[in-house]
Amino acid sequence: MINYPKLTEEKRLRRLTYPQGRIRMVLDTDTFNEIDDQFAVVYALKSPERLQIEAFYAAPFFNELSTGPQDGMEKSYRELKKITALLPEAEGIPIYRGSEAYLPGPETPVESEAARNLVERAMASSEEDPLYVVAIGAITNVASAILMEPRIIEKIVVIWLGGNALHWPDTKEFNLIQDLHASRIILDCGVPLVLIPCMGVATHLQTTLSELRDYVYKRGAIGKYLFETYEGCCNDHFAYSRVIWDIATIAYLQNDSWCANSLVASPILSEQFHWSFDASRHFIRYIYHIQRDHVFRDLFQRLE
C-alpha cells in the first residue's frame, strides 16, 4: 500500500490559495488528440509575464486518431514539436515523452521521461515556490510520478481539466475515463488539486470560425496555424461552434475572477464513472463556472 504524505489542513489551504506573481509550471498535454490543446499551449507561451513554463510533457491517448496510448503519446510529442517551432517564446523549453500505456493497477506507475522529469523538478522545488502541474489530458504521467515518489505531493499543485461537473449525470469524460487508476490516484492521494470539469463548466468556452478569422488568422504564423487547425476540424461551419476546453486551465492561472470556484471535499470516482461524495475527505478547489468572453478576449489580445 502506498503511503502518501498527509498535508496539514493549513498547508493544503495555503497551496489551494490563488497564486500571486509569476508561476513555475509544466504542461502535460495530449496535443494531437483534439484542437484545443494547441490553443492552450499557445496561450501559455504567450503569457510569459505570468507563466514560467519549465517543460512540456506528451500525454497518452487512444481514440480514432491513434492506434493505442503509445501512438497517441508519440503523435502528441511530435505535435508539441511542431507548435513550439512556430513560437520564439518556446525556445529552450524541453519536451518529454510520456507514458506509453495506462496504469496497470492502483499502485503501479508507468515510468517515462515525463514522469521522471516531473519527480526531479518537483523535488527541487521549495516550500515557498511549488511547481504547478497543468494537465489537459489523461492524468497518467502525473499519477505515475506520484507513485514513483509520493513526496512530490508536498511540492506541487495539480490543475487538471478532467471529468464532468459534480452535478452532471455521469463523469464519462475523455481525459478521466482513459485511465481510471490514474484518475482515482489524483482524487484520492491528497495532492493539492484544482479540478476544472468539462461538461457543465468548460463547455462555455465556445468559439466559431468567423471569430477566429477576425481575431486569430492574421496574427502571424501561429495565428494561421490555429485558424487552419480549427477550420479543418469540421466540414461544415455553418451555425457551428466548438469548445476549446483546455484553455480553461491557463485562464484560471491568468485571473481567478474569470473562474468561479469553491473548496469542496474531493469527490469519489466509481468504476461506473459516477461521482459520489464524502464530506470528511480532503479539500480540493473546484471550478464551477467560467466567464467565456474574458478568457477569449485575453487570448486574442495576446496573439496580437
Side-chain angles (χ1 to χ4, degrees):
M1 183 175 180
I2 305 294
N3 291 317
Y4 296 114
K6 302 292 185 185
L7 302 186
T8 65
E9 196 71 4
E10 178 186 8
K11 183 172 183 178
R12 178 179 307 284
L13 294 179
R14 190 166 65 247
R15 283 283 189 266
L16 293 175
T17 299
Y18 191 69
Q20 302 301 313
R22 199 161 183 242
I23 299 162
R24 297 170 48 247
M25 64 165 278
V26 294
L27 183 57
D28 186 79
T29 163
D30 58 347
T31 331
F32 192 79
N33 165 51
E34 254 267 31
I35 68 166
D36 50 338
D37 294 78
Q38 289 89 330
F39 281 82
V41 170
V42 173
Y43 194 7
L45 285 168
K46 289 291 185 179
S47 309
E49 81 293 343
R50 177 62 167 158
L51 305 176
Q52 178 183 324
I53 306 173
E54 296 194 352
F56 291 109
Y57 302 145
F61 75 89
F62 179 29
N63 58 17
E64 68 279 0
L65 296 177
S66 71
T67 58
Q70 179 179 1
D71 180 55
M73 182 278 295
E74 187 62 32
K75 285 177 175 174
S76 294
Y77 176 82
R78 293 199 295 268
E79 186 73 5
L80 276 167
K81 291 279 192 181
K82 180 179 178 181
I83 298 169
T84 54
L86 297 173
L87 286 167
E89 294 92 339
E91 185 176 356
I93 302 175
I95 303 171
Y96 296 92
R97 288 181 170 87
S99 305
E100 296 182 349
Y102 303 128
L103 297 191
E107 298 184 2
T108 307
V110 178
E111 291 210 24
S112 65
E113 290 180 352
R116 287 189 291 270
N117 183 263
L118 177 52
V119 169
E120 180 182 347
R121 288 182 188 277
M123 292 307 295
S125 301
S126 68
E127 287 289 315
E128 297 73 31
D129 190 22
L131 180 67
Y132 281 75
V133 182
V134 180
I136 52 178
I139 201 74
T140 309
N141 293 336
V142 183
S144 292
I146 290 172
L147 290 176
M148 290 159 59
E149 178 47 88
R151 288 181 298 166
I152 70 170
I153 287 173
E154 301 176 307
K155 304 278 194 172
I156 65 175
V157 178
V158 176
I159 300 174
W160 183 34
L161 184 92
N164 293 328
L166 298 183
H167 68 273
W168 212 253
D170 63 65
T171 190
K172 295 176 182 177
E173 179 275 326
F174 187 68
N175 291 349
L176 183 144
I177 64 173
Q178 290 182 86
D179 194 334
L180 175 64
H181 295 304
S183 298
R184 281 178 160 173
I185 285 167
I186 296 302
L187 294 164
D188 297 345
C189 73
V191 67
L193 172 65
V194 178
L195 182 65
I196 306 179
C198 289
M199 295 301 295
V201 178
T203 33
H204 298 313
L205 295 173
Q206 293 179 310
T207 190
T208 64
L209 187 68
S210 58
E211 185 175 45
L212 297 186
R213 182 181 291 112
D214 287 343
Y215 304 117
V216 173
Y217 179 64
K218 295 181 181 179
R219 301 297 187 261
I222 196 63
K224 185 172 185 287
Y225 166 79
L226 291 175
F227 175 83
E228 291 177 348
T229 299
Y230 186 101
E231 185 178 35
C233 76
C234 181
N235 293 325
D236 182 5
H237 284 273
F238 180 76
Y240 174 84
S241 64
R242 192 179 184 96
V243 182
I244 310 299
W245 313 90
D246 292 340
I247 61 173
T249 56
I250 309 304
Y252 171 75
L253 290 175
Q254 299 286 12
N255 192 324
D256 68 331
S257 70
W258 303 340
C259 303
N261 61 83
S262 62
L263 292 171
V264 303
S266 185
I268 300 167
L269 176 60
S270 76
E271 291 190 4
Q272 291 74 39
F273 299 101
H274 291 95
W275 295 127
S276 61
F277 307 97
D278 178 350
S280 68
R281 279 164 63 86
H282 62 277
F283 282 125
I284 65 170
R285 189 163 295 282
Y286 171 71
I287 310 299
Y288 57 84
H289 177 75
I290 299 175
Q291 296 187 34
R292 179 263 180 214
D293 291 354
H294 288 301
V295 175
F296 277 103
R297 183 180 295 114
D298 186 51
L299 171 60
F300 295 160
Q301 288 175 338
R302 290 178 183 280
L303 290 175
E304 291 179 359

